[in-house]
Amino acid sequence: MKVIGITGSPRAGGNTDTLLKALLEGGAASEGVETEAVSLRDYTIAPCTGCERCRKDLTCTRFYDGMHLLYPKIEEADGIILGSPTYNYNITPPEMKAFIDRLYPPYYRFTGVRPGPYSSFFTSLGRKALVFSVAEQTKPAERGFVIEAMQRPLEALGFEVTDTLPAEGYFEKRAIAGDSAVQERAREAGRRFARGLI
Ligand SMILES: Cc1cc2nc3c(=O)[nH]c(=O)nc-3n(C[C@H](O)[C@H](O)[C@H](O)COP(=O)(O)O)c2cc1C
């Protein structure tokens, strides 16, 4: 069993990275699953241009960038964890949003009918996902759509999102590093996620 954990934070060693580490290292890995952490900021990911060449080519032939290094990792993982800091109520645009949009090419299977039914490479594979977010504000309204912005595309792609973990009240880069309770919550969520894969 393998879990890939993906952080969309541009800030290396910040709150999102720290929570991902807890989810993977103290969490999923301690249940015996293989884990890999990926920082989207380390990959060049061009935003989708809607050229639709992928409908024919079944992968992105518009850009040969970091996504082509990530596609095989995503395909081989039994579980995927996505995490993003909240940026103006939403996910980070050059990292997490571009990444999610670029899952469209190889994975969706469309019919010729528009609007019409669609499926995905992951439909019926039983893949599971967990999404988490970090925000400064503690009122849910100020967290905005960050969880939904990751959860809904994953569900459309055929993943079952078994858990969500919004972490609120963290602004400074190392705020979460000083909060052992939220890190333990993340470790427990990671363990639960791994047990759900087996
Ligand atoms: C451009 C920008 C926009 C932000 N927008 C929000 C927001 O809408 N709501 C919120 O609660 N926090 C917001 N924040 C705060 C971050 O979500 C918070 O600092 C988070 O801990 C950053 O995570 P990181 O350390 O992983 O980068 C924003 C921060 C930046 C830099």
Side-chain angles (χ1 to χ4, degrees), residues 5 25 28 35 43 45 50 58 86 90 101 122 124 127 131 144 158 161 165 172 183 198:
E25 290 182 13
T35 62
Y43 293 78
I45 301 176
L58 299 180
T86 306
N90 220 317
D101 286 344
F122 298 105
S124 310
R127 299 285 173 87
V131 298
V161 177
L165 185 71
E172 303 295 345
Q183 288 181 63
I198 297 160

Side-chain angles (χ1 to χ4, degrees), residues 97-175:
K97 183 64 165 72
F99 167 76
I100 289 174
D101 286 344
R102 292 282 304 284
L103 297 176
Y104 178 110
Y107 300 134
Y108 279 115
R109 301 285 179 261
F110 297 101
T111 65
V113 182
R114 288 188 203 152
Y118 62 89
S119 62
S120 132
F121 169 86
F122 298 105
T123 305
S124 310
L125 289 187
R127 299 285 173 87
K128 300 216 164 67
L130 180 155
V131 298
F132 73 99
S133 61
V134 181
E136 174 194 6
Q137 303 294 332
T138 52
K139 290 185 192 151
E142 296 193 74
R143 177 175 87 223
F145 327 103
V146 61
I147 289 287
E148 290 81 353
M150 293 179 281
Q151 179 171 0
R152 291 200 192 176
L154 285 174
E155 288 172 345
L157 280 163
F159 289 83
E160 181 191 356
V161 177
T162 58
D163 206 0
T164 62
L165 185 71
E168 289 150 356
Y170 306 97
F171 178 69
E172 303 295 345
K173 182 175 175 180
R174 306 212 180 276

